[in-house]
Structures are given as C-alpha cells and as structure tokens.
C-alpha cells in the first residue's frame, strides 16, 4: 500500500511538472529574436550578436545589375526565398504592432525592430521598379546538393524576378503586406522610412492585383520548395487588410470587403495559417476591424461579419469545439497538422489565438462555435499559452524545441552554418562534398549554438529524434520564430494584454487619425444571412461482407445552392475515412474535384464522389471555396 502511495505521489508530481509551465517567457522572447541574426545574409552589422556568423552573399544580384545583398536565409540552407521571407517580416511586424510595449518592457523591442528592418531593407532593394520584384536568390536544387557554410557558398546565386510578363501575385502581395505592416512599426520612430515602405507596398499591391498570376509559374525553381497551393487570393486580401491598417484608406477596406467572396476570404475555413495560406490571418484582421467599431467598418459590416465567422471557426477548430475539422492533437496536447515542420503551424496558431483573444476581450465578445457553444477570450489565451509551454518543454519528453532554452533541447539542428565549425574560428574553405563527409554525418552536438531556433518538432505521438539528418523534425525556419515573438511578448507581460490602453489611444500612438466609433449589431452566426448554401448529402448504395467485415459504399453529392454564383476552387475536407475514394483528388488543404483547374461548380450544379470502408459514414465538410 505504501509503495502504491509513493507511485501515485510520483505520478502526480510528474503531471504537475509536465503541465505546470513556469517558463521564463522573457528569456525565450530574447532568444526567439536572436535566432533571426543567425539567418542574416549580407554584410553583418556591428550590433551582430551571433558571433559565429560572418559576411555572406556579398555578390547577390550583381550578375543581374542590382544589389540584392542582405535579407534572410529561410531555414538550414543558404537560399533567399522571397515568399517565406516576406511572411516572416509580416509576422514579426504584426508581433510588434500587437505587443510592442510588452517587448519594450522586456528590453527586446529594439532588437525586434532591427530584425524587421533587416528584411525590409532587402525588400526595398528587391523592388527597383513599380512592376519588378526579385523573388529569389539561389536555387534549392543546387543548394541542397551542397553542405556549406553561407560564408563559403559556391552554389548558384542566380536571382529570379517577377515583372508584368512574369507575374507573381502571391509573392508581390505578401511583400506588400510585409512592407505595410512594417510601416506601422516605424511610424513614430522613423516616419520617413515608414513612408518609403508604404510607397513600395502600394506599388506592389497594385502590381499583384493588376497582373495576376502564380508566382511559382514565373519562378519555377521555387515550386519544389515553396510552391503556392492556396493560390494568390489570400495574399491579395492579406495585403489589402494590412494597407488599410497602415493607411486608414477606405479603398483598401472596400477591397477587403468586396472581394471576400471571389478571393476566398469568406469561403475558406481552414485551420492552417502559414507562409502559403493566409486566410485565417486575414479573417482575424478583418475581425479586428469590425470589433474596433470603426465608422468605415459599419459600411461593410455584413462582409466583415462573414470574415469573423471564419475566424471563430479557426479558433473553435484549434480548441476542439468545431463540429468537424478539429485540429488533431498529440497525446501530450500539441496541435498536430503534418509530420514535416509541424511547429510552424503551432506557433502561428498560438499567435492568432492570443491576438484574437485580446481583441475579443476589449470588445467584450466571445467566440461563437458550432451548435451554439462559445469560447471566452481567456480560453483562447490559455490554449495558446499551453501550446507555447509545450514548445518550451512542458511536454511528455520534457524537451524544449527552442534551441538553447531549458536543460534539454535539440543539439543537432539541421542547419549548415550551425553544424560546421565557425568561419571565425577556422576560415579554411569547406567545400560541398567536404561539408557532407566531415560535418553533416558527424555525430554529436553542432559546434555552433543556434540560439533561439524553433525546430520542426515532434510527430503525432510526441516522438522526436534529435538527429541532423532528420530534417523533418530538426530543421528550424524563420517563419517558425516570427509568430512566436508576439506570443512570448504577450506572456512575458503576464495578465496585461495592452497595458489597458484604449483602441483610440492605440491608433493615435500609431499615428493614424482616430475615426468616429459606431456600435455594431450582435455578431451571432445565426444572424448571418450569407451562410454557405453548399449542401453535402451522403447515401448508402451498397454493403457487403468480406472476410468477416462489413463494407459500405457511400455516395456523396455536393450541391452548389448559390442561385447566381459559380463555386470555384472548392476544397472538401474528409475525416474518419478508412478506405479508397473515387471522384476526388487530394491536395495539401483537402480534396478537390478532378478535371479543369480550377474546377467549377455552377449555380445549382452538383458533383459526386464515392468512398468505401468498413465503418460509419466519414465526416465530410467544405473547407474552402471562391465565388465568381
């Protein structure tokens, strides 16, 4: 009995240690920013704190007659990919816009602003003309065949650009968003620079909108690494939302409201937010505009309310309160989306939940989940905190997935610069093959500490192998860290979300003239007259027994109930499916109809698909669509 009591006490203590948190968010915040310095390309400044790095990429752009030095390497490689870099800068800027005062209180605001400027200085160089944007330097194929420090690069540094003959709305739109968001960061401290960023942002948005096209068609070398699956509708809406935040120009708010249906902002209800898919971010920004009760928002309240219903569904999906499409969780409680670099979606979800929680709390609103259930702002923040705590070590392995934080953390990050002896310590040239033979396969910790890096993270069972060749789990990226900066600043400040500042004070501080406020009607989903009329009907057409198991054939009919609108790019979610499916094609964000790209479902039209399994009906729902 005494032995059993000891076991129970020890078990309880372990559960408290696992769930208890108690993390030093201020230190984690400092390290999360520090990692960005390890990713710098170009001539490093005197303020550089990652001392094992040196100058690199000093001839970038020279062959193209343009200076493309600077910017960030995206991950453990030495390529400057424009789309994830721009998303990184947007999310760093949003983190400062929401939680800049908390960063200042933690002594990290200057470092965060410097990190943003390192990116925007590069974007200014990469945008030498109104309708020209350089979107990549180097290529993944040659880079991935080589294991070299950035200081030793011998791989291709060819630059790839967008122009009117080679459009790229995703990349131009995201870069416009980054520069608009960054302009808010510099509004008070450097107004001339902020104005310059806004000018670039407006030109890039016009370029993205007027010359529409997929960026990975114009820059095909990006497709195998950062290919656009969600298309460019989300980036156009994302850019317009940020330009409205930065300018208060009603033109951009009208664009956001009037194009929500055709570009997917009010049709998509995905629970993934990242460098490729921005819809949840757009929906939270649109909700922020609505919740603040600005006069301009009142004119577009119906459209903004539809955006907010999708923001609510994102939160409900993360919390496990959606009727379907709830995010899977590991046994230890981590949100699980995919096996490769899963933490990119965990950090971005945590940020959205924290920011949405604060704006809901200020407006004294709650999240409306399906079936009439609700989620209070505190529940969103609590869940976001739990995800951050998991990353920092409150997990079944008691492992921090931030390098350099805690007692146990990854020692073999999949990262060229960190895994090879520092150029500062030994400037002897390291060739491609030498890097692989002498350093990549070397057992033991990396010689250089990649302080603050968030690696890809564990699998769906909370398992993690700290091995350099396990790139799916041990490679860090800039866009893993960028959203986490904001959440960590929020948590470092404790219970204060915005130091009790009013919305009017916030806008005045940002240098934007305050609007007259107006009250808005209740945001109940039941009041939404534009709820999607896309119907899903499942019918059993056959069943049979084979080897003791009963199999059932289900026929699913999806019908477009919009009377005068064509549904385009329809994405269908299917869960609890244990057999083959016919009539659908699987993609990153669900299943799509086969045939033309994009597949069309005309008004009143239907599409049919079939699946067979030995189980009750699968869960089938609409993930996203556009209306034309």
């Amino acid at each position: 009995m005494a032995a059993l009591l000891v076991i129970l006490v020890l078990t309880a203590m372990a559960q408290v240690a696992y769930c208890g948190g108690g993390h030093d968010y201020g230190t984690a915040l400092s390290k999360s920013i520090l990692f960005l310095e390890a990713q710098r390309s170009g001539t490093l400044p005197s303020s550089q704190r990652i001392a094992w790095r040196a100058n690199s990429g000093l001839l970038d752009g020279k062959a193209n007659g343009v200076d493309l030095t600077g910017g960030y390497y995206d991950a453990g490689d030495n390529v400057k990919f424009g789309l994830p870099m721009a998303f990184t800068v947007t999310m760093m800027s949003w983190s400062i816009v929401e939680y800049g005062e908390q960063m200042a209180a933690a002594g990290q605001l200057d470092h965060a602003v410097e990190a943003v400027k390192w990116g925007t200085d590069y974007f200014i160089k990469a945008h030498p003309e109104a309708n020209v944007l350089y979107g990549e330097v180097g290529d993944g194929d040659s880079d991935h065949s080589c294991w070299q420090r950035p200081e030793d690069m011998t791989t291709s540094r060819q630059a790839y650009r967008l122009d009117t003959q080679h459009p790229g709305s995703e990349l131009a739109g995201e870069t416009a968003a980054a520069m608009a968001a960054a302009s808010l960061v510099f509004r008070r401290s450097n107004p001339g620079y902020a104005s310059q960023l806004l000018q670039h942002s407006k030109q890039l948005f016009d370029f993205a909108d007027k010359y529409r096209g997929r960026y990975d068609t114009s820059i095909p070398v990006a497709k195998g690494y950062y290919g656009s699956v969600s298309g460019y509708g989300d980036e156009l809406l994302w850019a317009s939302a940020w330009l409205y935040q930065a300018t208060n120009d009603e033109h951009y708010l009208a664009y956001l409201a009037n194009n929500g249906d055709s570009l997917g902002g009010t049709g998509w209800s995905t629970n993934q937010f990242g460098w490729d898919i921005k819809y949840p971010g757009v929906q939270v920004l649109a909700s922020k505009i609505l919740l603040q009760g600005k006069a301009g928002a009142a004119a577009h309240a119906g459209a903004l309310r539809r955006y907010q219903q999708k923001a609510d569904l994102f939160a409900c999906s993360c919390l496990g309160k959606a009727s379907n499409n709830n995010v899977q969780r590991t046994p230890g409680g981590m949100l699980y989306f995919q096996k490769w670099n899963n933490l990119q979606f965990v950090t971005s979800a945590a940020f959205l939940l924290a920011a949405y929680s604060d704006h809901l709390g200020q407006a004294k609103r709650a999240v409306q989940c399906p079936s009439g259930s609700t989620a209070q702002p505190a529940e969103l923040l609590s869940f976001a905190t739990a995800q951050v705590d998991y990353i920092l070590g409150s997990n079944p392995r008691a492992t921090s997935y931030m390098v350099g934080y805690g007692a146990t953390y990854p020692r073999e990050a999949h990262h060229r610069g960190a895994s090879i002896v520092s150029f500062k310590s030994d400037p002897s040239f390291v060739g491609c093959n030498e890097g692989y033979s002498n350093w990549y396969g070397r057992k033991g910790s990396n010689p250089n500490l990649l302080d603050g890096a968030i690696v890809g993270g564990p699998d769906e069972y909370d398992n993690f192998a700290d091995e350099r060749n396990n790139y799916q789990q041990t490679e860090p990226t800039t866009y893993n860290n960028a959203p986490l900066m904001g959440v960590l600043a929020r948590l470092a400040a404790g219970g204060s979300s915005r130091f009790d500042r009013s919305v009017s004070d916030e806008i005045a501080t940002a240098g934007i003239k305050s609007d007259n406020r107006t009250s808005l009607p209740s945001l109940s989903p039941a009041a939404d007259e534009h709820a999607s009329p896309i119907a899903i009907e499942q019918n059993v057409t056959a069943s049979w027994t084979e080897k003791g198991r009963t199999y059932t054939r289900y026929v699913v009919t999806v019908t477009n109930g919009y009377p005068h609108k064509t549904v385009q790019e329809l994405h269908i979610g299917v869960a609890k499916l244990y057999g083959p499916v016919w009539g659908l094609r699987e993609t990153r964000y669900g299943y799509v109809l086969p045939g033309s790209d994009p597949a069309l479902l005309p008004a009143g039209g239907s599409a049919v698909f079939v699946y067979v399994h030995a189980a009750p009906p699968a869960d089938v729902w609409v993930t996203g669509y556009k209306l034309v």
Side-chain angles (χ1 to χ4, degrees), residues 288-310:
K288 174 183 176 181
I289 295 168
L290 183 64
L291 290 166
Q292 288 178 345
K294 300 177 72 174
H300 302 288
L304 294 176
R305 194 175 295 115
R306 296 197 296 278
Y307 274 107
Q308 188 179 20
Q309 288 174 348
K310 299 303 183 183

Side-chain angles (χ1 to χ4, degrees), residues 159 173 302 308 347 352 443 450:
Q308 188 179 20
T347 61
L352 283 188
K443 299 299 181 183
L450 197 62

Side-chain angles (χ1 to χ4, degrees), residues 433-567:
N433 295 332
E434 181 186 354
Y436 272 116
S437 61
N438 293 350
W439 295 101
Y440 179 73
R442 174 178 170 270
K443 299 299 181 183
S445 301
N446 289 338
N448 307 308
L449 182 66
L450 197 62
D451 216 1
I454 302 295
V455 298
D459 66 13
E460 65 267 42
Y461 305 109
D462 300 301
N463 296 321
F464 178 80
D466 184 14
E467 299 168 355
R468 198 170 297 111
N469 62 359
N470 180 20
Y471 51 84
Q472 294 183 333
Q473 293 189 324
T474 64
E475 185 169 23
T477 69
T478 59
Y479 46 89
N480 289 14
N481 279 57
L484 194 65
M485 289 165 51
V487 194
L488 289 170
R490 170 68 171 89
L491 297 179
S496 172
S497 62
R498 311 178 76 79
F499 295 141
D500 299 321
R501 299 168 63 206
S502 70
V503 173
S504 296
D505 289 341
E506 175 193 347
I507 292 176
T509 300
I512 303 174
K513 183 179 179 181
S514 179
D515 287 341
N516 294 323
R517 305 290 161 181
T518 181
S519 60
L520 293 171
S522 173
L523 305 180
S524 168
D528 181 21
E529 61 188 33
H530 297 278
S532 170
I534 300 176
I536 296 176
E537 180 181 358
Q538 298 200 62
N539 292 292
V540 175
T541 60
S543 62
W544 64 93
T545 301
E546 183 177 321
K547 295 182 180 181
R549 301 185 69 186
T550 299
Y551 291 87
T552 304
R553 182 177 187 268
Y554 298 92
V555 174
V556 184
T557 303
V558 183
T559 303
N560 174 14
Y562 285 99
H564 307 295
K565 296 282 189 177
T566 295
V567 170

Side-chain angles (χ1 to χ4, degrees), residues 86-154:
F87 178 71
T88 295
V89 172
T90 306
M91 293 309 299
M92 287 195 294
S93 299
W94 195 0
S95 293
I96 296 171
V97 168
E98 294 289 345
Y99 302 117
E101 288 199 6
Q102 290 87 336
M103 288 184 183
Q108 296 301 315
L109 181 58
D110 288 346
H111 294 307
V113 170
E114 185 180 359
V116 169
K117 194 170 186 295
W118 193 265
T120 52
D121 282 352
Y122 172 78
F123 294 147
I124 290 172
K125 296 177 182 180
H127 183 226
E129 303 173 36
N131 294 330
V132 172
L133 176 64
Y134 284 88
E136 183 171 328
V137 179
D139 72 87
D141 290 343
S142 65
D143 178 271
H144 283 56
S145 66
C146 194
W147 195 261
Q148 280 183 304
R149 301 175 295 201
E151 294 85 357
D152 288 328
M153 279 188 292
T154 56

